Amino acid sequence: MVIEPIFEADFKKCSYGFRPKRSASMAVTKIKENLKEGRMTILDADLSAYFDTIAHDKLMILVEQRISDKNILKLIRMWLKAPVSENNRISGGKKNKYGTPQGGVISPLLANIYLHLLDKIINKGGSIFNKCGISIVRYADDFVLMGEDISMECLQELLYILKRMELQLNKEKSKLIIAKKQPFDFLGFTFRYDNDLFIPGNKYWNVSPSKKSMKKIKEKLNDCLKSRHHYPIEHLVKDINAIERGWLNYFSIPKISYTKRARREIRYYLFERLRRYFKRKSQRRCKLYNRGNIEWLVSNYGLIDPTKYKLV
């Protein structure tokens, strides 16, 4: 709370993760804007174990540029050296020179401070990235470089910068693509250049929930129904609504994302899972084992119908 406003004054607009009044939806909106402006060559970058590889000495140099209070600096160093216990294994400690504890309240801010250096270099006037019209959109350690073209020189410069920061691109997950020809995923969304069904010959940038995101919500709904077999209906509906509401609020970005198809798919999945749920609820078929179970739960218990949900 004390040091965040100090660094917020320096952070670039291209950074959207773990920042006040910034969000994933803003990052997705910016990517779509860039695509419309012709920046269709994309480097979808993934850093290998980013939070575990932040160099403490280099991070503290960046922190000390804005913070001079010795007590605050000592506290941050103690935070970085704090041991972490997970699955009866202890990692970190006083001898540790790399990484910020994941789950630590200050770790997201420290992670942004470290990658702010990358933001500065790419946005700097006169840099090879700036000369080539390349922009970066970053959400924590996930980022994309976008331009009309991304040359080998730019890629080599990026690798050089990351090497100096003691960071590494995950070669298996990072890829260079032409968005006009190949869809790509970022922050749970798929960006695709699609044919317009209503205007023949016209194309548009389709931003929709990715297959992975669809799979995740189905798994959550399935786990919810499996683990709440003896719950009262009102409690079951409350838990299902919490899952649906969070997912729908995240992916429904007005005038940017298209979720109608995904909403219908979720509704059909929920219909099938509820049908099986009520079928198994007792030896005699439950009265809700019929084609109207969703409508009945919506009207009587306030179940969210994903096809009719309005953004909160």
Side-chain angles (χ1 to χ4, degrees):
M1 289 173 67
V2 172
I3 70 175
E4 184 178 61
I6 297 170
F7 288 101
E8 270 295 320
D10 294 335
F11 287 162
K12 299 292 183 182
K13 291 181 179 179
C14 62
S15 170
Y16 295 91
F18 305 125
R19 293 183 59 189
K21 298 180 181 180
R22 313 282 282 180
S23 65
S25 63
M26 294 172 71
V28 171
T29 301
K30 184 61 180 177
I31 290 174
K32 189 168 184 178
E33 288 175 4
N34 285 342
L35 290 169
K36 286 183 174 180
E37 290 171 3
R39 296 187 180 95
M40 301 183 204
T41 304
I42 313 291
L43 174 66
D44 184 3
D46 184 271
L47 296 174
S48 297
Y50 172 63
F51 283 87
D52 296 330
T53 55
I54 296 175
H56 291 177
D57 55 347
K58 290 181 171 64
L59 172 62
M60 290 309 299
I61 289 172
L62 297 173
V63 172
E64 287 167 8
Q65 289 176 358
R66 297 293 270 144
I67 305 293
S68 58
D69 190 308
K70 291 182 180 179
N71 293 320
I72 295 292
L73 294 174
K74 182 181 179 182
L75 185 60
I76 293 172
R77 288 192 181 95
M78 289 172 64
W79 226 309
L80 291 171
K81 303 292 184 183
V84 177
S85 177
E86 187 176 5
N87 297 326
N88 296 321
R89 291 182 61 186
I90 296 177
S91 58
K94 292 183 179 179
K95 294 183 179 180
N96 186 36
K97 297 181 180 179
Y98 294 92
T100 60
Q102 292 199 43
V105 69
I106 203 171
S107 292
L109 175 59
L110 296 178
N112 267 337
I113 291 170
Y114 200 60
L115 274 182
H116 171 62
L117 186 61
L118 179 64
D119 299 339
K120 282 175 63 179
I121 293 171
I122 290 175
N123 286 286
K124 185 179 179 181
S127 72
I128 188 172
F129 303 100
N130 188 263
K131 288 178 181 177
C132 295
I134 294 172
S135 64
I136 180 173
V137 178
R138 182 173 67 80
Y139 190 92
D141 58 323
D142 292 324
F143 67 90
V144 289
L145 295 187
M146 307 181 71
E148 292 183 13
D149 181 49
I150 299 178
S151 66
M152 188 56 67
E153 287 180 284
C154 291
L155 292 175
Q156 289 174 346
E157 181 67 15
L158 176 66
L159 291 173
Y160 173 71
I161 294 165
L162 294 176
K163 185 178 180 180
R164 290 195 64 184
M165 295 174 71
E166 298 187 53
L167 301 175
Q168 199 171 28
L169 277 183
N170 186 323
K171 293 181 180 179
E172 292 181 1
K173 294 184 178 180
S174 301
K175 53 188 176 182
L176 186 66
I177 61 172
I178 308 297
K180 210 168 185 178
K181 299 178 181 179
Q182 181 183 353
F184 69 96
D185 293 348
F186 189 67
L187 298 179
F189 290 84
T190 294
F191 297 80
R192 183 185 290 105
Y193 198 50
D194 272 349
N195 292 312
D196 195 320
L197 295 175
F198 303 102
I199 307 175
N202 192 41
K203 289 198 169 187
Y204 70 104
W205 288 105
N206 185 358
V207 181
S208 57
S210 66
K211 289 181 180 178
K212 190 175 180 181
S213 301
M214 295 298 295
K215 183 180 178 182
K216 279 186 177 179
I217 188 173
K218 288 176 183 178
E219 287 175 349
K220 284 184 177 180
L221 290 170
N222 186 49
D223 292 343
C224 178
L225 288 165
K226 275 187 175 180
S227 60
R228 291 158 176 79
H229 195 66
H230 299 292
Y231 271 40
I233 293 178
E234 55 269 24
H235 292 175
L236 174 68
V237 167
K238 182 180 178 181
D239 291 344
I240 292 175
N241 282 351
I243 296 170
E244 286 193 273
R245 189 179 295 110
W247 193 93
L248 290 163
N249 283 342
Y250 179 85
F251 285 100
S252 302
I253 308 175
K255 299 181 181 180
I256 298 295
S257 64
Y258 303 93
T259 60
K260 282 186 178 180
R261 184 175 179 179
R263 288 171 182 242
R264 288 196 299 267
E265 189 176 332
I266 292 170
R267 189 187 191 282
Y268 180 75
Y269 179 81
L270 192 57
F271 163 72
E272 288 293 332
R273 290 298 298 117
L274 284 169
R275 195 163 67 92
R276 278 186 275 172
Y277 173 85
F278 288 119
K279 183 180 179 180
R280 293 196 304 263
K281 199 163 178 66
S282 65
Q283 290 181 344
R284 289 192 297 176
R285 183 173 291 183
C286 175
K287 66 178 180 180
L288 286 176
Y289 178 71
N290 58 59
R291 301 188 70 83
N293 57 51
I294 281 189
E295 286 80 3
W296 193 85
L297 290 172
V298 169
S299 61
N300 290 278
Y301 288 93
L303 177 70
I304 291 174
D305 183 340
T307 61
K308 298 176 182 177
Y309 181 76
K310 292 183 180 180
L311 188 64
V312 177

